Amino acid sequence: MSLLRKLFGPYKDEAWGQLADEINADFIDGGFWKGSKVQATVKEWTITLDTYTVSNGKTSITFTRMRAPYVNRDGFRFTIYRKGFFSELGKKLGMQDVEVGFPDFDDQFIIQGNDEDKLQLLFKNTRIRQLIDAQAGISLEVKDDDGWLSTTFPEGVDQLSFKVVGVIKDIERLKQLYELFAETLNHLCLIGSAYEDDPNVVLR
């Protein structure tokens, strides 16, 4: 084993390739410019894992992200992330934190959405709460398309989206994220907020 591998762990592509094998997904090598990604299928949904980098000209920050477009049945959207300094700042600026009825969970996370009843139905799912709590850092939301110069979605299609600073190479953590996406999409169907139809979107 090389010194670099001992210090920093496996390379991203090595870890992600192993992940793809273990969850029966596709590892796609995009080369130097596009980067690699992993795509897994759950029913009619495609869950995509990749990275992207934001630069301001002086510094660059790389994020790991996971996305899954789906047909949004009722326009329900939500955001959840761990509490911290910036979350408290956000609340002071007028962001509404909804409590979903599980004190330990409510104490750890900022939860926002456009339908409080649907938020409570979604997070009543014990497994979803467990999988979210297992992530040391998490920002999970339902949002529209990826914006300018990226994927544009048809009318009625939104995406479940996760992002965190850094490159995740921990295979067990990534497997838990895939399970979180699958469980959340299935539960959105159960509460009437998603269809199992193919959204007909190819993420770039």
Side-chain angles (χ1 to χ4, degrees), residues 127-140:
R127 188 57 181 154
I128 289 176
R129 297 198 313 274
Q130 290 173 340
L131 289 165
I132 288 173
D133 190 44
Q135 295 293 321
I138 187 166
S139 174
L140 183 70

Side-chain angles (χ1 to χ4, degrees), residues 66-129:
M66 191 173 284
R67 298 169 291 162
Y70 70 95
V71 181
N72 193 329
R73 187 175 182 177
D74 61 1
F76 172 52
R77 291 185 180 177
F78 70 88
T79 299
I80 180 169
Y81 52 95
R82 282 197 180 275
K83 289 185 177 180
F85 172 78
F86 291 106
S87 62
E88 293 304 313
L89 177 62
K91 288 169 67 176
K92 291 178 181 178
L93 294 174
M95 297 165 65
Q96 294 299 312
D97 179 16
V98 176
E99 293 188 352
V100 294
F102 301 92
D104 290 344
F105 192 74
D106 288 326
D107 286 346
Q108 294 186 65
F109 296 96
I110 296 291
I111 305 168
Q112 301 163 320
N114 59 1
D115 187 325
E116 188 169 338
D117 291 337
K118 284 292 177 77
L119 283 171
Q120 291 173 346
L121 286 173
L122 177 64
F123 293 109
K124 190 176 181 179
N125 184 309
T126 302
R127 188 57 181 154
I128 289 176
R129 297 198 313 274

Side-chain angles (χ1 to χ4, degrees), residues 133-157:
D133 190 44
Q135 295 293 321
I138 187 166
S139 174
L140 183 70
E141 64 179 325
V142 170
K143 64 177 186 176
D144 199 357
D145 57 51
D146 289 324
W148 188 59
L149 292 180
S150 193
T151 305
T152 302
F153 296 163
E155 184 73 22
V157 173

Side-chain angles (χ1 to χ4, degrees), residues 167-185:
V167 179
I168 301 177
K169 295 181 288 184
D170 184 319
I171 294 173
E172 290 306 312
R173 183 181 179 188
L174 291 169
K175 287 164 70 173
Q176 288 178 336
L177 279 172
Y178 270 103
E179 185 184 348
L180 172 61
F181 267 58
E183 187 69 29
T184 301
L185 289 166

